[in-house]
Structures are given as structure tokens and as C-alpha cells.
Amino acid sequence: MAASVRLLFRRISRLSHRNINSTADSFSRRPGCCFGPFSSRCISDAAEDRNTHFGFETVPEAEKAKRVYKVFENVAEKYDIMNDAMSLGIHRLWKDMLLHVMHPQPGARLLDVAGGTGDISFRFLDYVYHQQERQKRRALGSSQTLSWQDISEKYPAEDAPHESSSVVCDINKEMLKVGKQRADSMGITSGLSWVVGDAEELPFDDDQFDIYTIAFGIRNVTHIDQALQEAFRVLKPGGRFMCLEFSKVTNPVLARLYDAYSFQVIPVLGEVIAGDWKSYQYLVESIRNFPDQEEFKGMIEDAGFCSVQYFNFTGGVVALHSGFKL
Amino acid sequence: MAALLRGLRAGRLLRGLSGVVTAPTSTVPQCRSLRRGFHRAALRLQDESKSDKSSSSSSSSTSTHREQYQAHSAEQDTEAASQQDSDPNSSEQDQDEEYETEEQLQARILTAALEFVQLHGWSMEAIAAGAESLGLSSASTGMFYNGAGDLVLHFISQCNAKLTEILAEQHNQVQLGQAERKKTADFLRDAVETRLRMYIPYIETWPQAMSILLLPHNIPDSLKHLSTMVDDIWYYAGDRSTDMNWYTKRAVLTGLYNTTELVMLQDSSPDFQDTWTFLDNRIQDVVNMATTAKQMQSTGEAVAQGLMGAAVTLKNLTGLNQRR
């Protein structure tokens, strides 16, 4: 017991030292496609096979998708618990805010990409259900002098035309499996479908969905611009693209606290709760590699979206980008 | 499944490409903003070539595009852009409209939404129904961060614009000598009546709209609309005052308008006759008050002179006025 604890402490200290070194390196060499201890490989390979970042490592692009798949395969079981532990439950508020800004109308179709365990879809169905209830109540309330016969006649007319549904799309089957189990345990039977698909190449036809969301998933995509173009393709005219993602903290004091928390606490939590240090190390590093709010807004505009805006939550820890296909 | 869809899309792409002049893809500058500009030019080119619907016109359309970039490099970029994952035709056309008319699109959606106000009230559902009637997804209502407030304010500014048009038209006719110049009281009466008649189609839901306008974050905008409307009416009534009258006149008209609007809300007479009678009476009151004020002023002056005279006489009598 003591030996294993000592081993754990030694691993923690070794890995945290490596973190500090690699963060120092990467921060000094930030702009550019490859940085970190493997930069020599980048210079020699630049001509032939393209490299990208996997956390603070540099890997060939073809490999990144595979490694991301493995990461999420490993964390799938404990994904929700880890989310609660790492963000102290605040991720629920972020997702609630996403729904609040989205304000979906009854009858809308949602595509939840990288939806994994289905957090956004469950909230979406809930929101739309409550909207419909409120509308029904309002319609009935304004006609209080109706007889019971008229009221009962009104009921079937309401439901038929507008059925909102949500499609959860994820590249990782394990995450979808966990999501399906959650849906079954919550008793949700209709309005949800689970599809395996790659965000860079969605298995859907054009002009299908009213709303496209990708929550905490787009930083794992190898070619973000392709994912944005796919989003543009599958949205109906007038459809909305919404992306919830970790972003740059503007306040310097908060930034230091956040960095310390990310690199010191989160991988430890990963090791203790999920038994997987490396995956959570990757998670934290991938956040640092993601473009900041303004740059990502530019990328969204490049894909063709209009009226692009972003909202910062928790001081910039999380940003919600929204664009319209008009 | 994905491969099948890819194949279908590739087929569609190739058919679309048959109209475009082929050129070798040369090195495209990697600067993002420039590429964005080329991308837009390329999309506009594709849009124009598709709307022209003939293969030979694509070369002529390059000379008509609105960007300042050189024609031949734009052609090459059409190739480059279309070889990426291209967007479907309809989105390009909407996109082309969009670059110039984002506010106009919002105005169009809100105007369409007015049709549904009787059904859904002044709310996001009406805006969603309006967007759907234009062929857009209901998710586009997300553009309106003020929700129902946007709809009501849009309607109000539309009404004000219509009123200004009518007043300008009447003014022109007077200038041209085709119509008689109205007296101020009549002019105000007609202007307020015309403006309030625009609410008649929405009169059942108007109380909801008024309550939306009274929300704290909407008050600045609604006050601005009200004050510009009152200013416009007085301007066309011929008011060019530059003193305290400017404020009193506008205050009076604002009070008149607001009270008449409230009376209209609970008026159930045919064609709102009671409301117009109320308006007549109030304007009469204002006119009477104005004449009374003038009379009081002249009476006051006369009384003051009389008192002065009495005082001087008294001083003479008591001998205080003598010069020693």
C-alpha cells in the first residue's frame, strides 16, 4: 500500500515536472503548427506528411484521429463523473446556458455532434417539451369559456405537426453506448437517435437540421475547417451553428489560477477517479492548443456563417460561438 | 453511408463544374482574409454562373463581379473553391444576398412575422412562424436577442415611417397648390387619427405590445420612437419655434397621443367613433387653454397697469412724489 502510494507520488511529481517544462516550451513557441519536444520531426516532415498537434505532442494527421478515439474509448465509462469532478459541476450550468441562448422552438431538429453521452440532447428535448406545455397551457387559458368537449377536441390538433427530434452523432461507439444507457435509464423513448459519424464527413444529406451543436468536441477534430464546412452543409437555410468550447481566459489572475488547476489538479483527478492520467493530460493540453475566441470566430465566418457572435462564460474559461446559415 | 453521400455530392459538383471555365489551380495566397475575399468572389461567380443558367456566360460573368480582384485569378479560385467541400446552390444565393442585407433580412423576417401576431401574440413564436413562412428555419429567431421587443419596435418604426410618408405627401400637395392648408388643430387631429388607425388590425393584442414596450430595457427605444414621431407631426404642422414653445408643444401632443391610445384600447364603438370624439374634445381643450392663456396674459397686463396707475395716484395724493 505504501509502495503504491509512493509510486503514485513519484509519477505525479515526474509528470508534473514534464508538464511545466513542456508548457514553458510551448508558450514560448506558440504561433506555428508544431511545437514541443518533437519539433525536429516537424521540420523534416513538413514537405510530405502533414503534422498536427495532439496535446503538446506533434503527430501525423492520420494518427491524431486514432489517438483521440483511444482517449475517449478509455474515458467513456467515467466521462460524466469526471466532468462533474473537474468542473465542480459547473459544466451543467454551461450546458444550460447553451440551451438558454439557443431557445429552440417546438418542431426544431437538432444535430448534436460529438454528443457522446447525450447531455445536450437530453436538455434540448426537455426544453422543447416545456415550451410545448407552456404553449398548450396558454392556448387553453385564453379560451376559458369553452366547454369540455371543445377542449378535448383541441388536444390532438396540437401534437401532430411539430415533433422535435435530436440526432446524437459521435465518432466513438463507446461514448454512444454510454449515452444510450443513460437515455434508457431516464426513460426517454422517442425523439432521439444515435449515429456513428465523423464530424469532418457527416453521414447526412444537405439542409437537414435546424440547429447544429458541438459541445466540447471541436478541439478534438483534426481539420476544424472541414468540420465547420460540414456543419454549414447539413444546416437548413436559417439554421444555427452553436459551439461550446474551452477558450482563452482574459483575466491574467484567473488565467494563472486556471493553468495551475488544469495542469496540477485535473490529471491527478483523472488518475484517481478514472485511472487514466494520460487521457486527461491530453484533454488539458488540447484546450491550450485551441484557437482563441476571435480567431475561432474568424474561422466560423470563413465557413460561410453570418451574424457570428461569442459569449464568454466563467470569465472566458468557456466560450459559446453562434453563427447563422443565411 | 458516408462514402455513398460523398459520391452523390461529387456527382452534383461535377455537373455544376461543367459550366465553369477550367483553369489550372495555381498557388493561392495563404493569407486568410485574402482567401476569404477570393472565396466570396468565387461563390459570387458560382452564384452568377448558376443564375445565368448557361455555360458560355460564365466567362462574361467574371467581368461583372463586384470584387476588385483580377478576373483571371478569380477564375482560378473558382476552381479551387469548388474543389473544396462546396456548399449547395440555395445557400450560395442566400449567402450572396446576405453580404449586403443582414439587417434587411431581419426586417423581412419581422414583417413576415406580423402576419402571425394575431395567432401567437407578440412573441418569439410569431417570429419563428414568420421565418418559416420565408423558408428559413425557426432557429434563425436566435438572431433577435430582444425577442418580442424587436418585433414590436420594428412594427412601431414601420408605422412611423408610413405616417411620415403620408404627411410628406400631404405637404407636397399643399405646396403644389392642389390642397388647402389645414388649421393646426385639424392637422394634429388628422395626424393622430391616421397613426392610431394603423393599430386597428392588432388591437386585440395591443395591450401585450404596450406592456412589452414598458419593459425597462425597451423604454429608451420606445421613447425615442415616440419623440421622433411627435417631432415629425409638429414639423409638418408648420412648427418652427425655437423657444420654450418647442417643448410645450411636443409635451402636449405626447399627452394627447398617449391618452387617445389608451382610450382606443377599451373602445368598443363601431369604427372607434368614441376614440375620435375623445380626441376632438382633447384638442378642443388644448385650443381653449391656449386662448385662455393668452386672454389671461393680456388681462394680467391690463390689471398690472391699472394697479400701477392707482399706486402713482396714491403717491401724488399723499405728496410723496414731490421733488424737493
Side-chain angles (χ1 to χ4, degrees):
Chain A
M1 170 64 187
S4 57
V5 171
R6 240 183 293 139
L7 197 62
L8 189 63
F9 276 137
R10 230 179 290 148
R11 273 183 81 189
I12 289 170
S13 55
R14 204 187 336 129
L15 282 163
S16 57
H17 275 298
R18 181 163 52 110
N19 293 347
I20 295 172
N21 290 339
S22 53
T23 47
D25 283 340
S26 62
F27 281 2
S28 59
R29 275 179 265 169
R30 181 159 283 259
C33 65
C34 40
F35 40 76
F38 301 94
S39 50
S40 54
R41 187 157 45 125
C42 171
I43 296 169
S44 59
D45 290 354
E48 291 116 293
D49 77 342
R50 308 266 297 281
N51 283 346
T52 181
H53 50 80
F54 178 80
F56 288 151
E57 278 179 57
T58 309
V59 298
E61 281 183 352
E63 214 188 292
K64 172 162 180 175
K66 267 186 268 166
R67 292 185 70 170
V68 169
Y69 192 95
K70 258 228 282 270
V71 163
F72 282 95
E73 206 177 20
N74 292 342
V75 307
E77 289 292 310
K78 296 278 176 63
Y79 186 72
D80 295 312
I81 300 177
M82 275 305 296
N83 276 347
D84 275 332
M86 289 191 287
S87 67
L88 308 170
I90 303 180
H91 74 105
R92 295 159 192 262
L93 293 178
W94 293 330
K95 289 169 184 164
D96 287 339
M97 280 302 293
L98 169 64
L99 257 299
H100 183 75
V101 173
M102 190 197 298
H103 194 59
Q105 298 296 319
R109 284 193 74 203
L110 173 74
L111 175 62
D112 184 10
V113 176
T117 50
D119 269 340
I120 305 290
S121 302
F122 297 146
R123 282 175 169 78
F124 170 80
L125 291 172
D126 213 26
Y127 196 100
V128 170
Y129 173 73
H130 283 301
Q131 287 273 83
Q132 269 174 330
E133 287 291 294
R134 214 182 312 149
Q135 274 181 6
K136 256 188 254 173
R137 236 180 296 139
R138 211 186 305 150
L140 289 177
S142 63
S143 52
Q144 273 161 358
T145 53
L146 286 187
S147 68
W148 64 268
Q149 229 166 5
D150 296 317
I151 295 177
S152 63
E153 271 165 26
K154 269 199 172 189
Y155 266 110
E158 302 277 341
D159 275 341
H162 294 295
E163 261 315 310
S164 37
S165 65
S166 170
V167 177
V168 183
C169 176
D170 201 294
I171 198 173
N172 197 306
K173 292 195 198 72
E174 299 300 314
M175 297 284 281
L176 287 176
K177 231 190 281 179
V178 174
K180 250 190 260 193
Q181 285 169 3
R182 277 183 70 193
D184 290 336
S185 69
M186 285 167 74
I188 298 177
T189 44
S190 69
L192 260 188
S193 25
W194 308 85
V195 175
V196 176
D198 184 355
E200 296 177 17
E201 211 174 328
L202 290 170
F204 303 107
D205 236 336
D206 302 350
D207 294 351
Q208 288 289 311
F209 297 99
D210 292 292
I211 308 169
Y212 174 109
T213 57
I214 181 164
F216 304 116
I218 202 161
R219 70 180 187 280
N220 300 315
V221 169
T222 317
H223 300 108
I224 295 183
D225 48 352
Q226 274 184 27
L228 292 174
Q229 281 169 10
E230 277 295 283
F232 194 87
R233 181 180 70 82
V234 300
L235 276 175
K236 286 187 205 162
R240 190 171 195 184
F241 166 85
M242 306 193 78
C243 170
L244 193 64
E245 192 53 79
F246 291 105
S247 202
K248 199 165 186 57
V249 178
T250 40
N251 184 334
V253 173
L254 196 59
R256 302 235 344 237
L257 284 173
Y258 179 55
D259 282 343
Y261 181 77
S262 302
F263 286 102
Q264 310 301 330
V265 178
I266 288 181
V268 175
L269 279 178
E271 181 61 40
V272 166
I273 299 181
D276 192 346
W277 178 289
K278 290 255 175 75
S279 301
Y280 288 93
Q281 182 69 32
Y282 160 73
L283 246 52
V284 171
E285 291 175 355
S286 63
I287 294 174
R288 295 296 177 285
N289 284 334
F290 192 69
D292 69 355
Q293 284 91 326
E294 280 297 329
E295 209 182 314
F296 190 49
K297 174 178 167 184
M299 290 168 78
I300 299 177
E301 281 171 346
D302 280 346
F305 290 100
C306 301
S307 219
V308 180
Q309 239 195 346
Y310 62 84
F311 308 90
N312 279 339
F313 300 149
T314 325
V317 173
V318 165
L320 168 63
H321 283 80
S322 149
F324 291 90
K325 172 175 173 174
L326 292 171
Chain B
M1 173 67 178
L4 177 66
L5 281 167
R6 224 187 314 158
L8 282 170
R9 257 185 291 138
R12 246 183 275 152
L13 240 160
L14 287 171
R15 259 181 279 132
L17 276 180
S18 62
V20 178
V21 175
T22 54
T25 40
S26 60
T27 54
V28 179
Q30 287 303 315
C31 167
R32 175 179 293 131
S33 57
L34 210 56
R35 187 143 47 114
R36 204 188 314 177
F38 278 137
H39 190 60
R40 279 193 207 153
L43 288 169
R44 283 230 183 89
L45 276 172
Q46 280 189 325
D47 175 52
E48 285 169 7
S49 64
K50 271 160 192 139
S51 57
D52 287 342
K53 281 193 193 113
S54 61
S55 55
S56 56
S57 65
S58 58
S59 45
S60 58
S61 68
T62 55
S63 54
T64 61
H65 73 78
R66 288 159 261 186
E67 298 289 330
Q68 307 102 305
Y69 304 104
Q70 297 182 10
H72 73 277
S73 54
E75 261 183 47
Q76 290 169 346
D77 271 83
T78 315
E79 264 304 304
S82 54
Q83 279 176 8
Q84 297 168 9
D85 277 333
S86 69
D87 313 329
N89 302 352
S90 59
S91 75
E92 283 167 11
Q93 281 175 341
D94 292 325
Q95 219 176 17
D96 195 48
E97 269 177 28
E98 246 352 88
Y99 283 128
E100 308 139 56
T101 64
E102 207 169 289
E103 280 85 23
Q104 287 180 27
L105 179 71
Q106 290 190 354
R108 259 200 309 147
I109 295 180
L110 291 176
T111 312
L114 288 176
E115 320 272 315
F116 299 92
V117 163
Q118 279 175 356
L119 184 56
H120 291 124
W122 300 89
S123 63
M124 283 300 259
E125 283 97 48
I127 303 181
E132 274 167 7
S133 75
L134 285 182
L136 294 175
S137 150
S138 64
S140 56
T141 58
M143 278 197 290
F144 304 106
Y145 291 105
N146 201 2
D150 275 336
L151 186 55
V152 180
L153 289 169
H154 170 82
F155 175 63
I156 298 241
S157 59
Q158 234 185 8
C159 289
N160 286 353
K162 258 190 269 178
L163 178 70
T164 320
E165 253 180 63
I166 294 174
L167 291 180
E169 186 50 45
Q170 286 177 0
H171 185 73
N172 273 348
Q173 295 207 324
V174 168
Q175 297 283 54
L176 293 173
Q178 287 169 5
E180 282 285 318
R181 196 188 161 76
K182 286 190 238 177
K183 284 174 56 183
T184 312
D186 290 333
F187 184 89
L188 292 182
R189 187 204 178 286
D190 287 337
V192 174
E193 185 183 335
T194 316
R195 180 62 174 78
L196 285 176
R197 276 192 184 275
M198 297 183 197
Y199 290 161
I200 291 182
Y202 305 97
I203 198 70
E204 292 95 44
T205 46
W206 195 247
Q208 187 193 7
M210 283 181 77
S211 65
I212 291 173
L213 285 178
L214 283 174
L215 289 173
H217 53 91
N218 286 331
I219 286 184
D221 285 321
S222 66
L223 280 183
K224 184 179 61 139
H225 284 304
L226 181 63
S227 55
T228 43
M229 177 194 73
V230 165
D231 195 28
D232 282 339
I233 296 180
W234 267 119
Y235 175 79
Y236 284 109
D239 175 47
R240 300 287 181 274
S241 53
T242 48
D243 54 355
M244 205 52 194
N245 274 332
W246 192 93
Y247 294 100
T248 52
K249 281 179 172 170
R250 276 148 189 78
V252 162
L253 185 55
T254 310
L256 223 113
Y257 176 83
N258 282 339
T259 48
T260 316
E261 192 181 359
L262 286 173
V263 167
M264 192 171 162
L265 283 182
Q266 43 80 50
D267 187 8
S268 50
S269 59
D271 196 34
F272 299 92
Q273 270 311 313
D274 287 349
T275 312
W276 314 134
T277 321
F278 176 86
L279 181 59
D280 280 332
N281 291 343
R282 295 290 79 69
I283 291 193
Q284 209 47 48
D285 286 346
V286 168
V287 166
N288 287 347
M289 258 202 335
T291 38
T292 318
K294 260 193 233 140
Q295 281 175 354
M296 265 181 52
Q297 205 182 22
S298 51
T299 319
E301 278 173 13
V303 166
Q305 279 184 0
L307 285 176
M308 277 302 296
V312 167
T313 316
L314 213 59
K315 272 160 83 176
N316 286 340
L317 284 178
T318 54
L320 286 171
N321 245 0
Q322 288 175 0
R323 276 212 205 121
R324 286 196 226 214

